[in-house]
Amino acid sequence: MTSLHGPYELSVGVPSVEVFRRLRTDAGLSDKDPEAVALALPNTWYGVVLRHEGAPIGMGRIIGDGGTAFQIVDMCVHPAHQGRGLGKRIMAALTEELERRAPATAYVSLIADGPARFLYEKFGFADTAGHDSIGMYRLMGGSPGFSGSRAEP
């Protein structure tokens, strides 16, 4: 465990399924199915958990193939602890591990919600639109604007 300041400690690893779901929802992120979380957590390439006086209050994970592609996911800090530089500390731990272990040609992505973009910019992340790219997504239960039929040219 790494001492941050005062009662905060950062440790390498991932939380339990229940704690993962609570951390996400407490921070305003969407909940995830417990079975899906149980499948996902062991496949974490690198993760950290932030604790306040021993209780988990934040986390961040890196997922990916270990060589060419990585994604930073599940970045969150409980609202009662935000504004103290804790998200910055989580992000620093994640990017330090990427710089230490990921190949120089690896592509690292993330999705920045709202003002989180300003935090990520401090770590060298840039808006893909400025590089003639756009971020896209699809939820497996359906996606916005997808009718299930194939468009013909």
Side-chain angles (χ1 to χ4, degrees):
M1 287 192 188
T2 304
S3 179
L4 293 173
H5 24 76
Y8 294 101
E9 291 181 346
L10 189 69
S11 61
V12 175
V14 295
S16 68
V17 170
E18 296 77 22
V19 170
F20 174 92
R21 294 178 68 217
R22 181 184 52 78
L23 289 173
R24 284 185 56 89
T25 56
D26 285 354
L29 301 177
S30 62
D31 194 6
K32 298 293 182 185
D33 179 76
E35 291 82 17
V37 175
L39 289 170
L41 291 178
N43 292 306
T44 301
W45 185 79
Y46 184 77
V48 294
V49 178
L50 177 66
R51 289 180 173 79
H52 176 257
E53 298 177 346
I57 55 98
M59 67 178 170
R61 296 190 312 133
I62 302 170
I63 59 174
D65 63 16
T68 65
F70 298 87
Q71 186 174 27
I72 294 175
V73 296
D74 304 319
M75 279 285 302
C76 61
V77 174
H78 189 283
H81 299 273
Q82 292 177 2
R84 300 175 189 181
L86 301 171
K88 186 176 180 179
R89 182 64 188 106
I90 293 171
M91 216 27 215
L94 298 178
T95 56
E96 286 167 11
E97 190 67 12
L98 284 163
E99 290 166 0
R100 189 174 78 74
R101 292 178 42 208
T105 57
Y107 185 83
V108 182
S109 63
L110 55 78
I111 295 176
D113 295 326
R117 72 173 300 149
F118 301 113
L119 169 65
Y120 303 138
E121 286 172 349
K122 293 176 183 176
F123 289 90
F125 288 86
D127 186 336
T128 59
H131 300 279
D132 202 25
S133 296
I134 61 167
M136 299 179 78
Y137 76 98
R138 176 181 173 192
L139 296 175
M140 292 313 296
S143 66
F146 181 69
S147 66
S149 63
R150 190 173 147 184
E152 296 296 324

